[in-house]
Amino acid sequence: MRDRSGTTQVTLKKGQADPALFALLGELPRESIVEVEGAVHRSERANRGIELLPERVRLISRAEVPLPLGVVDKVPAELDTRLNHRVLDLRKPSVRAIFELRAALLSGFRQSFIERGFLEIETPKLLRQGAEGGATLFPVQYFEGRAFLAQSPQLYKQMLIGAGFERVFEIAPAFRAEPSDTVRHITEFTSLDAEIGYIDGPDDVRGALEGVIADTIRSSREQLLRADNPLAAGLPEIVVPFPRIPFATAASWLDRTDLSHDFGTEDERAIGEIAVERFGNPFYFLIDYPTAVKAGTFYAGRRDDDPSLTGYFDLDYEGLEIASGGPREHRLDRLEAQIREAGLDPASFSGYLEAFRYGMPPHGGWGLGIDRLVQALARLPNIREARLFPRDRYRLEP
Ligand code: ATP
Ligand code: MG
């Protein structure tokens, strides 16, 4: 018998047990729900050191046969089959363990942010325009007009810095119409966003990010060890500060001289191998992203001493991008110029820009993909395994 606490052996001995009970349990399909009452005995051979000798059994819900997906099968099923029958798949203790890790990370992040004086916020997910480029926007019919699903809370968390909230965080869904089918993209993901006012350069943002990650992984490990979760052992020892690798240095590792476009998946993997070998830390920052690479990110803050570079960074884990962030441009005139440079019209951002008109401190923050972090920490080959009911170009059900 299995429940959320684990599996317990129920033993019926032929000849000794009530024949009616024997007949009932003998033909009962796997995964049915039963209530069993009986005497608990010590047993050397049973997995918890105990077994239950049933006296009364009540069948609560009979499972249909055959099961479309085995729960205790040794042979692994294809991911597609597993996701098609996700409720049965989630019954596997090894799959449930992923979501216990996920929940521990979420509560760890909340606790760490609260201890650091951050306020939890919730920003709109139905928007008139996007912040992360038009290509991945999902339009939705909105009464007589059109709206878009939020790709990130970017503009709103900055506006709340303008509102004087100073330190905010949000854990919420983000939507991106990702046309390509990869193991690291889904169309609905959970974004952990933070924004911090009165920063003194990008390292204030990186320091906060590595700090909350360190707190969160430490507290999650303790919590999961107490719960005997097998994923606890795989969580890394956190050593801060994480290494900081300039974009140009990483490019030179790949013999790349053109610094005007972003690293692709293969580049990120190759950089990850070198970085982890060199610095011995699965986490590392790629820093000083060139302005040319961040051309579409109109709100990115550029370096005053060298405007060809932004203060932007990515946080990667063994070659997988987990987060992106940096200081923002907080001066209205420069922000408007950057919006125009990105080929956009400042007039369509008037609600956002108003937040910069009446006093806006220097600020910065990041967006971190919770699903990517779970994928990395649980060593999942596919990000879809990190979500209960993942959504992608081809999957809207179950
Ligand atoms: P990538 O280059 O990997 O497509 P991105 O740079 O476009 O990601 P950002 O705009 O920087 O993504 O978003 C911040 C974080 O949100 C990313 O670092 C990643 O962890 C997560 N993220 C972004 N898009 C997706 C997606 N489609 N599926 C899952 N997580 C995502
Ligand atoms: Mg990014």
Side-chain angles (χ1 to χ4, degrees), residues 181-241:
D181 190 13
T182 82
V183 297
R184 45 171 76 188
H185 291 94
I186 39 184
T187 50
E188 178 182 30
F189 66 97
T190 300
S191 186
L192 173 112
D193 278 84
E195 202 68 23
I196 308 167
Y198 300 101
I199 58 165
D200 184 19
D203 230 36
D204 278 358
V205 184
R206 292 190 281 261
L209 173 53
E210 66 196 353
V212 294
I213 286 184
D215 292 351
T216 300
I217 292 185
R218 283 184 196 128
S219 66
S220 299
R221 188 195 295 104
E222 279 169 31
Q223 188 185 329
L224 296 175
L225 277 174
R226 281 196 300 274
D228 275 332
N229 185 308
L231 296 173
L235 295 181
E237 271 307 323
I238 296 290
V239 183
V240 285

Side-chain angles (χ1 to χ4, degrees), residues 106 109-115 117-123 153 157 160 167-172 191-195 366:
L106 290 175
F109 275 123
R110 284 205 163 87
Q111 196 184 328
S112 176
F113 276 118
I114 290 163
E115 278 165 13
F118 282 72
L119 188 68
E120 182 162 7
I121 56 165
E122 293 158 286
T123 62
K157 59 181 178 168
L160 291 169
R167 293 169 170 226
V168 295
F169 77 100
E170 175 164 11
I171 300 177
S191 186
L192 173 112
D193 278 84
E195 202 68 23
W366 68 81

Side-chain angles (χ1 to χ4, degrees), residues 68 162 166-167 237 275 288 292 348 359:
E166 227 170 293
R167 293 169 170 226
E237 271 307 323
D288 297 341
S348 59

